[in-house]
C-alpha cells in the first residue's frame, strides 16, 4: 500500500521505503532492496541510475539476485556489478528458485556456479516459495544435500552476510 502511495502514477521514484526490525535474534544489517532492471520503456534509465548510486560505494556489499535458470548473458545486473566491482570482492550472486529449472543445461550451469565458482565471493543458492508458501527448511536441506553447505540455503546466507559486510567496513575504514 505504501509503495502504491509513493509511486502514484509514476513507474519509478527515488523515495525509499524504510522498514526497521529490532530484536535480540536479529542481525544488525541494513538491506536495500532495489527495483529490478526494466528492459524496455519508462523508468529504465531511472532504475539503472538508482542501482549505480547504491552499488558504487566501496563499502557496499552487492547481492545480484537472479533466477538460477537465467543465462548470464541476460542478467544486466551482473554487468552493472562487474562495472563497480571488477574483482568480485564485494559481490555475491544469489540464485533464486534453485528448485525450478526449465532445462538440464540450465541446471548444470547453476550447479557449476555454486560448486566451481571462481569468484572471490562464490554464488549462493536459495529455493522458491511460490504462491506465498511458507519457507520449508527440510525441503531445502534435502534439495541442497550435495551442495557446499556454506553456499546453499537461507540460513547459511543469513549467517554469511554480516561477516562479509563487516570485512568490507574494516577494509574501508580510514
Amino acid at each position: 500500500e505504501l509503495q502504491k502511495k509513493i509511486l502514484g502514477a509514476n513507474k519509478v521514484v527515488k523515495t525509499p521505503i524504510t522498514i526497521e526490525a529490532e530484536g535480540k535474534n536479529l542481525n544488525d544489517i541494513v538491506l536495500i532492496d532495489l527495483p529490478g532492471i526494466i528492459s524496455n520503456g519508462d523508468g529504465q534509465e531511472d532504475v539503472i541510475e538508482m542501482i549505480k548510486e547504491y552499488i558504487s560505494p566501496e563499502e557496499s556489499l552487492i547481492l545480484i539476485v537472479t533466477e538460477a535458470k537465467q543465462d548470464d548473458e541476460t542478467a544486466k545486473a551482473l554487468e552493472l556489478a562487474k562495472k563497480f566491482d571488477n574483482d568480485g570482492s564485494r559481490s555475491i550472486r544469489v540464485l533464486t528458485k534453485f528448485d525450478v529449472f526449465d532445462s538440464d543445461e540450465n541446471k548444470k550451469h547453476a550447479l557449476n556456479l555454486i560448486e566451481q565458482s571462481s569468484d572471490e565471493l562464490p554464488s549462493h543458492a536459495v529455493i522458491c516459495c511460490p504462491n506465498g508458501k511458507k519457507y520449508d527448511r527440510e525441503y531445502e536441506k534435502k534439495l541442497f544435500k550435495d551442495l557446499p553447505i556454506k553456499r546453499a540455503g537461507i540460513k547459511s546466507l543469513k549467517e554469511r552476510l554480516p561477516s562479509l559486510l563487516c570485512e568490507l567496513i574494516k577494509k574501508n575504514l580510514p
Side-chain angles (χ1 to χ4, degrees), residues 127 135-146:
I127 61 170
Y135 168 68
D136 186 343
R137 174 110 172 94
E138 291 307 311
Y139 169 67
E140 183 182 70
K141 280 172 62 175
K142 193 165 115 178
L143 182 74
F144 294 147
K145 67 181 177 5
D146 296 329

Side-chain angles (χ1 to χ4, degrees), residues 7 10-14 33-55 76-77 80 84:
L7 280 174
N10 301 310
K11 195 167 187 177
V12 178
V13 294
K14 285 193 170 193
D33 182 12
L34 297 170
I37 296 174
I38 300 169
S39 297
N40 298 309
D42 295 342
Q44 183 178 10
E45 287 303 314
D46 294 334
V47 169
I48 297 293
E49 288 307 311
M50 189 183 314
I51 291 170
K52 286 178 180 179
E53 178 184 333
Y54 283 101
I55 68 172
K76 177 87 171 159
L80 278 171
F84 290 94

Side-chain angles (χ1 to χ4, degrees), residues 24-118:
K24 63 181 181 178
N25 296 327
L26 297 178
N27 291 322
D28 187 15
I29 192 168
V30 175
L31 176 72
I32 301 168
D33 182 12
L34 297 170
I37 296 174
I38 300 169
S39 297
N40 298 309
D42 295 342
Q44 183 178 10
E45 287 303 314
D46 294 334
V47 169
I48 297 293
E49 288 307 311
M50 189 183 314
I51 291 170
K52 286 178 180 179
E53 178 184 333
Y54 283 101
I55 68 172
S56 63
E58 290 293 316
E59 61 276 5
S60 292
L61 182 62
I62 304 168
L63 274 65
I64 308 145
V65 182
T66 61
E67 285 188 41
K69 67 181 181 181
Q70 186 174 11
D71 283 343
D72 293 351
E73 293 80 33
T74 61
K76 177 87 171 159
L78 292 170
E79 275 181 46
L80 278 171
K82 192 76 169 163
K83 183 176 179 180
F84 290 94
D85 179 31
N86 193 39
D87 65 356
S89 63
R90 58 188 186 93
S91 300
I92 297 176
R93 185 170 179 184
V94 179
L95 301 171
T96 63
K97 301 181 182 179
F98 212 84
D99 51 343
V100 180
F101 289 97
D102 53 6
S103 74
D104 288 338
E105 184 180 317
N106 285 346
K107 185 174 186 175
K108 185 178 177 182
H109 176 70
L111 286 167
N112 189 48
L113 285 172
I114 299 300
E115 295 169 341
Q116 311 288 320
S117 183
S118 62

Side-chain angles (χ1 to χ4, degrees), residues 124-138:
H124 199 98
V126 295
I127 61 170
C128 178
C129 294
N131 304 322
K133 273 188 188 173
K134 197 171 182 175
Y135 168 68
D136 186 343
R137 174 110 172 94
E138 291 307 311

